Amino acid sequence: SLSLSHHTQGWTAICAILAVVGFVMSFGIGMGPVPWLLPAELFPADKVAVGSAFAAMCNWLANFVCGLIFLPLAAALGGMCFIPFLLILVPFAIFVATIPETRGKSVQQILAELSPERGQKKPNRRSSV
């Protein structure tokens, strides 16, 4: 946004190049693979296909919407055309940060951590006779 807003300055070309290269690098090792890898970690084996398909659909739909709205957004906002994407990205980054670590855990352990009853003890159903 800074590079686009101050395009007459000499520093903006290198700033824009560094921003694009930095985005591509960080996206590829960060948020990019999430919709492709996370469903296999979070869904039981019988639901992985449906969960993966839904995640892929959401990913491609979001890409399609971004492609459709970017040019009108850039025409309306000029150099600040990336700010709406930032405002949408922040809540999703918070969501991803709240997902539990899955390394070394079974699907049952992960589902137990995600269940609403986690942290609450289940009542003992044995009678105390």
Side-chain angles (χ1 to χ4, degrees):
S1 289
L2 287 174
S3 295
L4 293 175
S5 297
H6 299 89
H7 58 85
T8 57
Q9 304 292 323
W11 57 269
T12 58
I14 191 70
C15 181
I17 291 169
L18 291 175
V20 169
V21 169
F23 168 76
V24 171
M25 287 174 48
S26 64
F27 187 77
I29 62 172
M31 299 293 281
V34 167
W36 306 105
L37 298 175
L38 197 62
E41 297 282 333
L42 293 181
F43 294 113
D46 61 330
K47 305 275 191 294
V48 169
V50 174
S52 295
F54 183 73
M57 180 198 68
C58 291
N59 186 32
W60 283 110
L61 183 62
N63 289 332
F64 181 70
V65 169
C66 287
L68 280 179
I69 68 170
F70 182 75
L71 289 178
L73 198 62
L77 298 178
M80 295 297 155
C81 60
F82 292 107
I83 301 301
F85 295 106
L86 174 69
L87 297 176
I88 293 170
L89 182 62
V90 169
F92 282 106
I94 293 169
F95 166 73
V96 170
T98 63
I99 295 174
E101 176 61 49
T102 59
R103 185 183 321 164
K105 296 180 183 175
S106 69
V107 174
Q108 290 77 18
Q109 290 171 320
I110 295 168
L111 291 175
E113 286 185 29
L114 292 174
S115 71
E117 297 89 24
R118 77 174 175 203
Q120 297 177 2
K121 291 188 173 183
K122 292 184 180 181
N124 190 355
R125 299 207 178 211
R126 289 188 219 166
S127 63
S128 56
V129 177

